[in-house]
């Protein structure tokens, strides 16, 4: 019996998945790939496992699209990357890992299912790096196009043990030159790295999005060991200068969100992320799989913030009302959402799981409190999918993604102090 496997969140039929890769719309289908170990329910030599959808809600697992079978990717495999449609083909950039080096490689597909690796890989390597940056930690290419020129963001560790997002440019998606360092991260603990860069553009502004390993907690910000952060700003691609116009933020304050990827279609932004975390146990392993991706959600620009929005027909439930007193509680099965109007705080708790989620230090990860401005009007929209729970508060003012190992036959919702 599969107690935990979700129905709508992408998970592998067997084995391990982590970061979503190569999210793209091509030939009237949505394609997303995931880092995948087909031989075990733990991280291992990485492949790209393919999933396809017509509507962004219902997904079908296909075959593995990229294998670690070349001299430049045969050790640890085909790490994360992104895709772009060019000349009616998908150009997928990924990180090949071999011989202690991480280098950016190209694979091309005419159908989205099968790929041919470029014969002169790698296309971005140590020759392109500025002084002080290490090819041993150089990965996660994000490709995008502006005015018929192609740009790639990569992350890289500096020899002084900080890490940065680097910008490269190309005329043809084959030959690249380094432009500049866009943003550096100096306060990551335990040798952490910035990973999985992403960027989206709207009305002259952009959102520079990134995932952080072991960031330093700053008040409510970065309470997880692995988070998705972002900053609104402007980008001068010619000089490679990112100018922030807003503070660092998180789009998802839940326990389980990492490696965000975004595509733009019909002037809308659609996102997917890895809905899990590093360094934890995986009770789902007993069911033969580990890891799942989030629901696809829209991303909305709101001044210097980004907000998630569920898609229509995504089978969400809504609870709303006015606070009777200064406090209210909503309970969805074993998950508690506590509102404290006097202190303008919200607490999320997933205590009393049947299988606890424990990190590598032995800490049970089950509760979180953060500040959010709200009045007596409360709206909670959620999607519960076996072990996967995603929660939007007040139309995306706050959002939580979480794994919750709690088996239920019927959803039990209890609301206190709302009318």
């Amino acid at each position: 019996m599969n107690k935990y496997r979700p129905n709508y969140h992408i998970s592998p039929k067997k084995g391990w998945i982590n970061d979503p890769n190569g999210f793209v719309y091509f030939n009237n289908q949505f394609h997303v790939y995931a880092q995948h170990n087909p031989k075990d329910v733990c991280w291992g030599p990485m492949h790209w496992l393919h999933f396809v959808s017509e509507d962004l809600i219902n997904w079908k697992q296909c075959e593995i699209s990229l294998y670690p079978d070349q001299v430049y990717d045969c050790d640890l495999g085909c790490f994360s990357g992104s895709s772009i449609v060019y000349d009616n083909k998908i150009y997928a950039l990924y990180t090949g890992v071999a011989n202690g080096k991480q280098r950016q490689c190209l694979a091309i597909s005419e159908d989205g299912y099968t790929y041919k690796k470029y014969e002169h890989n790698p296309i971005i390597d140590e020759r392109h790096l500025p002084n002080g940056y290490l090819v041993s930690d150089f990965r996660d290419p994000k490709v995008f196009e502006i005015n018929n020129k192609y740009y790639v963001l990569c992350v890289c560790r500096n020899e002084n043990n900080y890490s940065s997002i680097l910008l490269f440019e190309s005329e043809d998606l084959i030959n690249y030159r380094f432009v500049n360092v866009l943003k550096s991260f100096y306060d990551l603990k335990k040798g952490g790295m910035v990973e999985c860069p992403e960027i989206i553009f709207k009305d002259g502004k952009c959102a520079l999005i990134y995932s952080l390993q072991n960031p330093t907690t700053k008040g409510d910000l970065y309470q997880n060991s692995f988070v998705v952060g972002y900053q609104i700003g402007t980008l001068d691609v010619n000089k490679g200068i990112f100018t922030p116009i807003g503070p660092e933020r998180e789009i998802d304050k839940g326990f389980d969100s990492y490696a965000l990827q975004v595509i733009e279609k019909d002037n809308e932004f659609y996102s997917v992320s890895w809905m899990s975390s590093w360094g934890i146990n995986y009770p789902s392993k007993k069911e033969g799989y580990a890891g799942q991706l989030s629901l696809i959600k829209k991303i909305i620009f709101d001044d210097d913030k980004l907000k998630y929005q569920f898609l229509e027909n995504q089978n969400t439930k809504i609870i709303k009302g006015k606070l009777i007193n200064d406090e209210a509680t909503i309970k969805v099965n074993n998950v508690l959402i506590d509102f404290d109007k006097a202190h303008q705080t919200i607490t999320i708790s997933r205590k009393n799981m049947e299988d606890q989620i424990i990190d590598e230090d032995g800490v049970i990860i089950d509760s979180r409190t953060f500040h959010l401005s709200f009045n007596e009007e409360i709206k909670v929209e959620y999607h519960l999918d076996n072990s996967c729970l995603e929660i939007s508060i007040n139309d995306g003012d706050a959002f939580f993604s979480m794994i919750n190992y709690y088996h239920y036959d019927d959803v039990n919702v209890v609301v206190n102090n709302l009318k």
Side-chain angles (χ1 to χ4, degrees), residues 97-232:
V97 186
N99 301 314
K101 295 182 178 182
Q102 299 183 0
R103 297 170 292 183
Q104 316 323 313
C105 304
L106 172 66
I108 301 172
S109 177
E110 297 185 359
D111 60 7
Y113 292 79
T114 58
Y115 282 80
K116 182 178 180 180
K117 295 178 182 178
Y118 178 55
E119 60 182 346
H120 298 301
N121 277 335
I123 56 173
I124 309 176
D125 59 19
E126 57 266 48
R127 297 167 299 174
H128 299 84
L129 285 175
N131 291 336
Y133 284 89
L134 306 174
V135 74
S136 56
D137 272 317
F138 176 40
R139 55 185 177 266
D140 305 345
K142 163 61 186 180
V143 59
F144 59 100
E145 181 266 334
I146 295 178
N147 296 329
N148 297 316
K149 188 174 284 189
Y150 300 94
Y151 298 89
V152 172
L153 302 179
C154 290
V155 298
C156 197
R157 188 185 300 279
N158 189 278
E159 62 187 11
N160 292 317
N161 207 33
Y162 63 87
S163 60
S164 304
I165 299 174
L166 311 182
L167 179 66
F168 302 85
E169 71 172 11
S170 172
E171 305 284 347
D172 57 7
L173 289 167
I174 301 293
N175 300 286
Y176 290 85
R177 75 170 187 90
F178 170 70
V179 181
N180 202 8
V181 176
L182 286 196
K183 185 176 175 67
S184 295
F185 300 82
Y186 299 98
D187 56 355
L188 303 179
K189 300 172 292 185
K190 299 181 181 179
M193 273 272 293
V194 59
E195 294 190 303
C196 304
E198 177 62 89
I199 193 164
I200 55 177
F201 297 88
K202 181 78 169 180
D203 298 332
K205 298 186 293 186
C206 68
L208 182 62
I209 305 168
Y210 38 83
S211 294
L212 300 177
Q213 302 175 340
N214 299 309
T216 299
T217 302
K218 303 172 182 178
D220 288 350
L221 194 65
Y222 304 152
Q223 295 188 42
N224 278 347
S225 296
F226 300 92
V227 303
V228 176
Y230 73 90
Q231 200 165 19
I232 304 295

Side-chain angles (χ1 to χ4, degrees), residues 205 230 232 249 300-307 397:
K205 298 186 293 186
Y230 73 90
I232 304 295
R249 299 185 185 274
I300 309 297
F301 276 79
D302 183 14
D303 294 328
D304 65 350
K305 294 175 60 177
L306 299 177
K307 292 183 178 182
D397 281 349

Side-chain angles (χ1 to χ4, degrees), residues 238-307:
N238 295 317
K239 296 179 180 179
I241 297 175
F242 172 73
T243 304
I245 57 176
E248 292 187 34
R249 299 185 185 274
E250 291 173 275
I251 192 170
D252 192 321
K253 293 183 176 293
F255 303 99
D256 304 292
S257 178
Y258 200 71
L260 183 72
Q261 286 214 337
V262 185
I263 62 169
E264 183 178 2
K265 183 179 184 297
D266 300 330
N267 297 314
E268 300 279 7
F269 297 104
Y270 298 95
S271 70
V272 62
S273 61
W274 181 35
M275 196 170 166
S276 198
S277 185
W278 298 109
I280 62 172
N281 62 325
Y282 285 85
S284 66
K285 288 180 177 180
K286 67 184 73 173
E287 297 181 4
Y289 81 99
Q292 53 279 308
L293 303 186
S294 69
L295 295 177
I296 309 300
K297 296 178 289 294
K298 287 184 181 180
I299 289 184
I300 309 297
F301 276 79
D302 183 14
D303 294 328
D304 65 350
K305 294 175 60 177
L306 299 177
K307 292 183 178 182

